[in-house]
Amino acid sequence: HVQLIESGGGLVQPGGSLKLSCAASRVTPEVQAMGWFREAPGKAREEIACIDRKAGSTVFMDSLKGRVTISRGDAQIMMYLQIVDLTPEDTATYYCAANFIPSHYTCMEAGHQYGYWGQGTQVTVSA
């Protein structure tokens, strides 16, 4: 069993940058995938970026590629999401998620599922 807690959100000016953190309650060597999602008011939740054991690297949403980076800490407790050149369209609640069950699907693919979610952290981009 594991708990995930996001932090680092807040009010940011357009053009600024932000680094979000996701802290797991324990070391997670068995994790299959971890990802970052966001949900804006009136819009569907969307996956931004993820790290998958099968992929062996990171995967990014096409529309955000080049503006976001995702990484894990060596202790396998922390996960980070960095966003640069923020715009008001980036305003959303951001969530981290983890999957501990081997899946036929790779993160970012339709059909892939996460079993654990954080409570979310609010990011507001406004002048």
Side-chain angles (χ1 to χ4, degrees), residues 58-79:
T58 57
V59 186
F60 302 94
M61 185 171 65
D62 288 341
S63 63
L64 294 177
K65 193 173 184 179
R67 294 206 295 121
V68 302
T69 57
I70 186 171
S71 60
R72 291 288 308 280
D74 292 338
Q76 296 183 307
I77 295 177
M78 302 297 297
M79 180 176 67

Side-chain angles (χ1 to χ4, degrees), residues 47-104:
E47 190 167 7
I48 302 167
C50 61
I51 304 173
D52 196 289
R53 174 172 290 180
K54 296 191 298 294
S57 186
T58 57
V59 186
F60 302 94
M61 185 171 65
D62 288 341
S63 63
L64 294 177
K65 193 173 184 179
R67 294 206 295 121
V68 302
T69 57
I70 186 171
S71 60
R72 291 288 308 280
D74 292 338
Q76 296 183 307
I77 295 177
M78 302 297 297
M79 180 176 67
Y80 305 98
L81 177 73
Q82 183 168 338
I83 313 174
V84 300
D85 196 22
L86 288 162
T87 72
E89 288 71 37
D90 295 316
T91 296
T93 301
Y94 286 73
Y95 301 87
C96 66
N99 173 36
F100 294 92
I101 302 175
S103 175
H104 174 75

